Amino acid sequence: MSTTAPGSAAAIWGRTEQQDFRSRVRGALVGGAVGDALGAPVDGLAYDEIRAAHGPEGLTDYAPAPHRGAVTAATQLTLFTVDGLIRAQVRRDTGAWHPPTDVHRAYRRWAATQSDWGPDERRADNGWLAAQEWLYARRAPGRACLSGLGDETMGTLEEPKNRDAADSAALTRSAPFGLLVGWEPGLVLQLAVECAAQTHGHPTATLAAGAYAVLVHGLSRGDSLDGTVQRALGLLGARPGHQPVTDALQSALGAVRQGIPGPARTAALAGDGPSDAAGDLAVAVYCALVAEDVRHGLRLAVNHDGRSAATAALTGALLGAQHGETALPPGWVAELEGRSTVLELADDFAMEMTQGPALHGPTASAPGWLTRYPRG
């Protein structure tokens, strides 16, 4: 991608808008984690199995897996995506500007937390996120993520890791790219695509991640979801291999006009495959479009014959970016695993994007910030 640094939120918004941005960042990150935690206990189950276990209305609240509010590797990786993006901004002061490299380093730090034999990342010189004990729990990490990050070689679009991997593990960690509101949508898509290729080389996986980042980007700037979908479709059109993702987005738009939302409709959008990023993206967009509120949208995203954790995580981030943190169900937020870490990281991201020069610019420096987000 270009080595020219795009603009910051501070460059285009005043203080009131920056406060709104902070709420949307919190909404996206906490909303995605809440959806992940809600869907995890029934992930991979058929809707009939969900109803048999949780009643005729399906799953309507957190359930133990392994405990109420527990998240999966999707949330862990999303947080490390944020960490990588903050460090990329900090490293601009050194003249180094290549966000995919900084994100890859962050993903490698996550991979180390998942290893029984590898290095311990809880070092004083490695930033604060890798020191959070709860992130060391192994929560169903995808094979492509583990293998793609198993060595120091970074997958690229020219030489991606796991060329056949088309599941949604790269997609579900991609909301933070959309929070780069000072960037143009095309650059947001490009960054998300490049970082997806570090573990998932199939065009469906990379382009679904890029399209999703564009959706979060538009919502974070106050645009309508319909409008952001159209923008994503326009950007996808010139990309080789875009058709499955384009078809998924168009199917989500079309499903809105087909009657009352329900499990059959969301299952149809998800498709029959065991792992399909395009199908999961379609479900999330549909659920966000028809949601009466965040709780309704997340329950719809969970209760179907599909990949409940992924679709609910994606839906939660979209609705959180659209409506802000105060729209999230407070009971679910209160019980969310790692809530304080998620909120702290969200606030750090918003502060970096709006006040970065005051933290590590040429005329000011906050040593504590560079301890949290080292340049190395």
Side-chain angles (χ1 to χ4, degrees):
M1 63 180 296
S2 171
T3 57
T4 302
S8 67
I12 59 174
W13 286 350
R15 189 158 303 280
T16 299
E17 289 80 7
Q18 289 179 30
Q19 292 171 350
D20 177 71
F21 171 61
R22 178 174 177 266
S23 176
R24 293 178 190 270
V25 172
R26 281 185 157 209
L29 297 183
V30 178
V34 165
D36 184 28
L38 184 66
V42 296
D43 194 51
L45 298 182
Y47 182 51
D48 287 344
E49 294 175 308
I50 296 174
R51 295 180 68 192
H54 299 282
E57 295 184 4
L59 182 68
T60 60
D61 197 2
Y62 283 156
H67 56 79
R68 287 175 60 88
V71 300
T72 76
T75 294
Q76 295 174 343
L77 275 161
T78 297
L79 299 183
F80 278 93
T81 303
V82 176
D83 182 64
L85 292 176
I86 294 175
R87 293 205 193 191
Q89 292 292 110
V90 170
R91 280 167 54 82
R92 285 170 64 172
D93 298 339
T94 69
W97 177 246
H98 193 252
T101 296
D102 290 294
V103 172
H104 182 252
R105 289 172 176 167
Y107 290 161
R108 288 274 294 156
R109 289 192 290 275
W110 168 81
T113 71
Q114 303 296 293
S115 174
D116 294 330
W117 55 268
D120 193 323
E121 292 298 296
R122 288 166 281 197
R123 307 192 312 269
D125 62 346
N126 204 30
W128 77 282
L129 186 63
Q132 305 306 303
E133 294 286 342
W134 70 277
L135 290 172
Y136 284 71
R138 195 171 176 119
R139 298 286 172 74
R143 291 183 179 179
C145 291
L146 293 175
S147 65
L149 301 169
D151 57 48
E152 295 183 0
T153 303
M154 184 176 76
T156 64
L157 290 179
E158 294 75 22
E159 294 292 337
K161 294 288 187 75
N162 301 310
R163 291 179 180 271
D164 295 329
D167 63 82
S168 57
L171 167 61
T172 55
R173 67 182 189 235
S174 294
F177 302 117
L179 300 174
L180 295 168
V181 294
W183 293 37
E184 292 300 318
L187 286 176
V188 168
L189 183 143
Q190 180 66 19
L191 177 58
V193 165
E194 290 190 26
C195 292
Q198 294 174 8
T199 59
H200 289 66
H202 196 284
T204 297
T206 59
L207 293 178
Y212 183 68
V214 171
L215 301 185
V216 174
H217 182 262
L219 295 176
S220 298
R221 298 186 64 160
D223 299 337
S224 70
L225 182 52
D226 292 82
T228 65
V229 172
Q230 295 300 333
R231 184 178 298 127
L233 287 169
L235 291 170
L236 287 171
R239 298 270 178 162
H242 73 89
Q243 203 62 52
V245 180
T246 295
D247 290 346
L249 291 174
Q250 291 174 336
S251 295
L253 293 175
V256 174
R257 300 185 293 272
Q258 294 175 6
I260 299 174
R265 204 169 312 285
T266 51
L269 289 168
D272 298 327
S275 58
D276 179 3
D280 290 349
L281 176 63
V283 171
V285 171
Y286 171 72
C287 291
L289 283 168
V290 302
E292 298 171 4
D293 55 27
V294 176
R295 189 183 300 272
H296 173 254
L298 287 179
R299 286 175 173 171
L300 184 63
V302 163
N303 289 293
H304 56 82
D305 296 332
R307 296 162 291 277
S308 298
T311 54
L314 295 168
T315 302
L318 289 176
L319 291 172
Q322 184 174 25
H323 300 295
E325 64 171 318
T326 58
L328 302 176
W332 289 349
V333 174
E335 290 190 82
L336 178 67
E337 180 181 33
R339 174 170 65 101
S340 61
T341 301
V342 180
L343 287 171
E344 190 172 356
L345 188 64
D347 289 350
D348 280 2
F349 181 88
M351 184 156 41
E352 173 61 42
M353 296 304 152
T354 59
Q355 306 295 330
L359 294 168
H360 51 81
T363 60
S365 179
W369 193 255
L370 299 180
T371 298
R372 292 172 70 78
Y373 303 102
R375 290 191 173 107

